[in-house]
Amino acid sequence: MKNNINYEKIIKKIEKDKKCISNCCFGIIGPTGPTEPSGGPTGPTGATGATGNNANSTACFCVDQMRNIIQQIITLYPNDNLIIAMESGNNASGRAGSLLPGPNNNPNSGLFQLLNNQGTPEEALSICRIASITITSSTYNEAISYLPAPNPIPEGCDANCEAAICSPISL
């Protein structure tokens, strides 16, 4: 029964957190079709626009970079304690579990599930709302690799995300 409740919560969280990533990750929505003057029938829906490309989107790249790092943390630190700081100021702690929806290499995973010390799944955190990850019971592994920065390098406040993720980390 508890697993079913957790599954339902996870599905609701995924649906809610799809909104956290701008439309760049899901394509551009086509224009609305024309409408008749007030009182007339509704016009036909316009053609769907071309699918967007998030190759140069810093917001989407940031999520991809966080997913990349978490995939490595799951492999390199399976039994170490983590503290996850969220954008909201809240923290969560536990051991690296998995990315959801699975498998861990799913390019559309949006949640990072933590485990308790007994290996039971606990909290599932939105990867697009993670501010930092601290590994409290180990030292930094130099094998962690980062995705190359988008080209051209974007400017502005969205670009700060990428710079912060890839900046040197002191542990």
Side-chain angles (χ1 to χ4, degrees):
M1 179 72 173
K2 184 176 180 183
N3 286 339
N4 191 27
I5 292 170
N6 285 339
Y7 178 77
E8 289 172 9
K9 285 181 182 178
I10 290 169
I11 295 301
K12 286 179 185 176
K13 180 89 170 143
I14 290 170
E15 291 303 316
K16 180 182 173 194
D17 289 336
K18 280 183 181 177
K19 297 174 188 172
C20 80
I21 304 172
S22 63
N23 286 339
C24 68
C25 296
F26 298 106
I28 297 171
I29 298 172
T32 302
T35 56
E36 295 291 321
S38 181
T42 301
T45 301
T48 301
T51 300
N53 180 346
N54 71 345
N56 289 323
S57 163
T58 306
C60 293
F61 180 76
C62 244
V63 173
D64 292 342
Q65 186 73 273
M66 185 62 73
R67 185 180 300 111
N68 170 57
I69 293 167
I70 291 171
Q71 288 168 338
Q72 294 174 79
I73 287 172
I74 290 168
T75 302
L76 296 169
Y77 302 101
N79 299 312
D80 292 293
N81 295 318
L82 309 174
I83 297 174
I84 313 295
M86 306 301 291
E87 288 179 351
S88 65
N90 293 329
N91 291 319
S93 62
R95 293 182 179 177
S98 61
L99 286 169
L100 301 173
N104 287 336
N105 63 354
N106 179 354
N108 298 311
S109 296
L111 297 173
F112 179 30
Q113 185 161 50
L114 298 177
L115 306 175
N116 66 19
N117 287 340
Q118 290 74 39
T120 304
E122 293 286 333
E123 298 181 72
L125 309 169
S126 171
I127 64 173
C128 54
R129 296 290 182 229
I130 294 174
S132 68
I133 300 174
T134 304
I135 302 162
T136 62
S137 57
S138 189
T139 57
Y140 179 74
N141 188 321
E142 297 292 333
I144 290 178
S145 63
Y146 298 94
L147 299 175
N151 188 4
I153 295 175
E155 296 178 13
C157 60
D158 277 347
N160 295 339
C161 169
E162 172 57 20
I165 289 176
C166 293
S167 65
I169 301 169
S170 60
L171 298 176

